[in-house]
Amino acid sequence: LTAAGTHPAHLQNIVWQIAEDYAKARLLLRLPGHTPMPAFREVVDVPLVTRRARRSREQIRAEIGVPMDCKLVLYQFGGQDAQWTLDAASLPIGWMCVLASHTLS
């Protein structure tokens, strides 16, 4: 990966570790909305799989403090640092981003 050389020294090891891990994978199960991931030799597109909600949209939004008229982005990826933050200026007006650890509006 030539991109590893453009990162600060403390991130280079992480970038190389990710590249090595990806190189060991035999298959990428790619979800809708993916970004390019050329490291994988075999790619299978798969649909999103969900289950029926146990609580209503209104109940969930009330619990996490999101108004019903607010547009919502859920940002959750495995291994996301709980201290990660998003600049509110990055969101369009009227949108809220819910992170694994907190909400930002």
Side-chain angles (χ1 to χ4, degrees):
L1 284 175
T2 58
T6 65
H7 294 289
H10 70 282
L11 296 179
Q12 288 182 13
N13 288 340
I14 295 170
V15 171
W16 283 112
Q17 183 63 56
I18 291 169
E20 288 174 13
D21 292 345
Y22 280 1
K24 295 174 187 173
R26 295 184 194 156
L27 171 70
L28 168 64
L29 300 177
R30 186 168 59 188
L31 296 169
H34 61 84
T35 58
M37 298 183 79
F40 295 94
R41 289 180 279 278
E42 186 176 352
V43 177
V44 174
D45 289 323
V46 297
L48 290 175
V49 178
T50 63
R51 62 172 174 78
R52 289 208 180 269
R54 295 180 184 153
R55 293 176 289 187
S56 71
R57 177 180 295 169
E58 292 80 11
Q59 288 173 312
I60 297 297
R61 283 182 174 242
E63 286 178 25
I64 63 173
V66 178
M68 287 302 296
D69 62 344
C70 182
K71 294 180 181 175
L72 188 62
V73 172
L74 173 62
Y75 189 86
Q76 168 116 19
F77 291 95
Q80 190 66 43
D81 180 358
Q83 301 303 313
W84 185 85
T85 60
L86 175 71
D87 182 359
S90 300
L91 295 170
I93 294 172
W95 282 76
M96 178 181 281
C97 181
V98 177
L99 303 174
S101 61
H102 61 282
T103 61
L104 171 71
S105 60

